[in-house]
Amino acid sequence: MIKDFEHFAPKTLEEALALLAKYGDDCKVICGGQSLLILMRQGLVGPKYMVDIKGLTELSYIKDGKDGLKIGATTTHRTVEKSAVIKRKYPVLAEMEKRLASIQTRNWGTIGGNICHGDPAGDPAPVLIALNATLTVAGAKGTRSIPVEKFSLDYFEVDLKDGELLTEITIPAPPPRTGTAYTKFNVIESDLATASVAASVTLGSGDGVCQDVRIALGAVAPTAIRAKKAEKVLKGKKITDALLEQAGAVAATETEPISDIYASEEYRRELVKVLVPRMTKEALARAKKA
Ligand SMILES: Cc1cc2nc3c(=O)[nH]c(=O)nc-3n(C[C@H](O)[C@H](O)[C@H](O)COP(=O)(O)OP(=O)(O)OC[C@H]3O[C@@H](n4cnc5c(N)ncnc54)[C@H](O)[C@@H]3O)c2cc1C
C-alpha cells in the first residue's frame, strides 16, 4: 500500500532544486518510477513529498562532441538503445540497454534513475565504469563531478546529498584502438544480472600491446566494482589466452558475492572467472578493428 504524498512536477531544473532544498529529507525524487514505485509499494520508502522530474525535458538529451558523449539524466533506456550516434560510436551502451528489462520498462525508466537507484546488479554501471564515465550532480550550492566508479557507496546507496540531483553522464571519447564489451548472466531473459562483466581494452600503436584495460563487475559485490588486480595482469602485455584465464581467476578473488535464490556465492565467482576472459577477449577483438 503506497502512503499518501504531495506530488510536484517542476518544469525546470531550477524549480526542481528549489523544491528539493525546501522539503529536505521528507522529499524523494521520482523519474520513471520503475525502481522507486516497487520500493514504495513494499512500504520500504514513504516520502511526504515527491519531486517528479520526468517532465524535465532539459535533462533529456544525447549530445556527441569532441570531448565525448553527454547523456542527460532523464534520458530513457530506450532512447539510449536506439540512438544512431551511440550505436555507431559507443555500441556497447546500446547492446547493454537492449538486454535491460523489457521494452515497456526501457520506454519509461531512465539511465539516470538506474544509476541513482544503486542496485549492484544494474546493467549501466559496469559499462559506464569500463567507459570511464563521470557524473554531474547539481544542488543548491552548485554542481560537482564524480567518476561513476565512486558514485555507488553500498547496496542501494549512492553519493547523493539531500537536495542533489544527477543531471548528466559524460563518457570521454575513446582513445584510438579501443574496444569495449559487456555481458550479463541472467536466469530469465530481460531480468537483472546474476553476474555481469564489462571490459575495455586500448592497444598501443602497431605493437599489439595492451596499453590500458578497465574491467568492471556487476552483481558480485555491494556495488559495481573495478577488478583492478585483474587489470594489472593484462596491462602493458600482449594479451594471450593464458593471461586472460589468469585475469579471470584474479578478478574472482576481488569479488564479495552473496548467495541468493538465483546463485550461490561460489557460482557467482565461477561466472566471473569465465566471463572476464570472454569479455576481455571480445573487447580486444573490437580494439583490433577500431
Ligand atoms: C520488470 C523490471 C525489470 C527490470 N530489469 C532490469 C534489468 O534487467 N537491468 C537493470 O539494470 N535494471 C532493471 N530494472 C530496473 C529499472 O529499469 C531501472 O532501475 C530504472 O530504469 C530506473 O529509472 P527510473 O527513471 O524509473 O527511476 P525511478 O524509479 O524513478 O528512481 C530510482 C531511484 O533513483 C532516484 N532518482 C531518479 N532519477 C534521479 C536523478 N536524476 N537524480 C537523483 N535521483 C534520482 C529516485 O529517487 C530513486 O531513489 C527493471 C525494472 C523492472 C520494473
Side-chain angles (χ1 to χ4, degrees):
M1 179 78 170
I2 293 184
K3 288 186 196 152
D4 285 349
F5 55 82
E6 198 171 336
H7 177 261
F8 299 99
K11 288 281 168 260
T12 63
L13 176 60
E14 202 184 344
E15 220 184 300
L17 292 175
L19 284 163
L20 290 174
K22 182 172 175 188
Y23 293 109
D25 59 6
D26 282 338
C27 179
K28 193 84 187 139
V29 171
I30 186 164
C31 196
Q34 297 300 300
S35 294
L36 184 60
L37 286 175
I38 295 171
L39 300 182
M40 289 175 70
R41 266 194 229 119
Q42 289 169 342
L44 295 169
V45 179
K48 279 196 199 155
Y49 307 99
M50 292 270 264
V51 175
D52 183 344
I53 61 167
K54 186 75 178 161
L56 290 192
T57 46
E58 69 186 284
L59 296 186
S60 176
Y61 55 83
I62 294 171
K63 293 178 195 161
D64 186 44
K66 261 197 285 171
D67 300 339
L69 185 76
K70 291 185 183 296
I71 306 176
T74 65
T75 308
T76 65
H77 295 295
R78 187 74 168 157
T79 305
V80 175
E81 177 195 346
K82 290 284 171 191
S83 156
V85 70
I86 286 180
K87 280 190 201 169
R88 186 163 41 84
K89 292 178 72 176
Y90 304 86
V92 68
L93 264 180
E95 290 159 9
M96 172 277 291
E97 291 286 14
K98 205 168 179 185
R99 293 191 62 197
L100 184 153
S102 59
I103 292 179
Q104 291 90 327
T105 299
R106 297 204 292 275
N107 266 332
W108 206 248
T110 62
I111 188 159
N114 188 296
I115 297 292
C116 293
H117 184 50
D119 188 335
D123 291 295
V127 174
L128 293 173
I129 291 172
L131 292 171
N132 200 11
T134 52
L135 304 175
T136 304
V137 163
K141 291 183 189 150
T143 61
R144 62 190 178 101
S145 184
I146 319 159
V148 174
E149 65 187 90
K150 298 218 166 116
F151 188 60
S152 277
L153 304 174
D154 208 335
Y155 287 105
F156 302 97
E157 194 186 323
V158 295
D159 182 11
L160 273 178
K161 318 250 180 316
D162 281 344
E164 283 188 332
L165 268 180
L166 171 67
T167 55
E168 188 174 76
I169 300 163
T170 304
I171 302 172
R177 300 173 300 281
T178 297
T180 309
Y182 172 74
T183 195
K184 67 173 162 184
F185 179 91
N186 51 359
V187 181
I188 302 164
E189 173 72 25
S190 84
D191 211 349
L192 284 158
T194 305
S196 63
V197 174
S200 182
V201 172
T202 302
L203 293 173
S205 60
D207 57 6
V209 166
C210 170
Q211 192 176 292
D212 199 10
V213 56
R214 294 173 70 87
I215 298 173
L217 314 175
V220 290
T223 66
I225 55 167
R226 237 177 110 184
K228 290 190 180 174
K229 290 181 187 161
E231 292 172 3
K232 272 195 189 151
V233 172
L234 303 168
K235 201 169 167 181
K237 299 180 194 139
K238 264 201 160 165
I239 296 178
T240 60
D241 284 351
L243 278 179
L244 286 172
E245 201 178 317
Q246 197 186 327
V250 170
T253 67
E254 298 184 75
T255 63
E256 298 172 62
I258 53 160
S259 294
D260 61 14
I261 53 164
Y262 298 107
S264 66
E265 181 186 328
E266 293 78 13
Y267 190 71
R268 283 193 160 90
R269 282 209 181 88
E270 279 305 308
L271 285 172
V272 170
K273 261 190 207 170
V274 172
L275 296 180
V276 163
R278 203 178 284 173
M279 283 308 101
T280 313
K281 198 168 186 172
E282 177 60 27
L284 175 66
R286 290 179 178 197
K288 284 178 180 164
K289 287 189 210 146

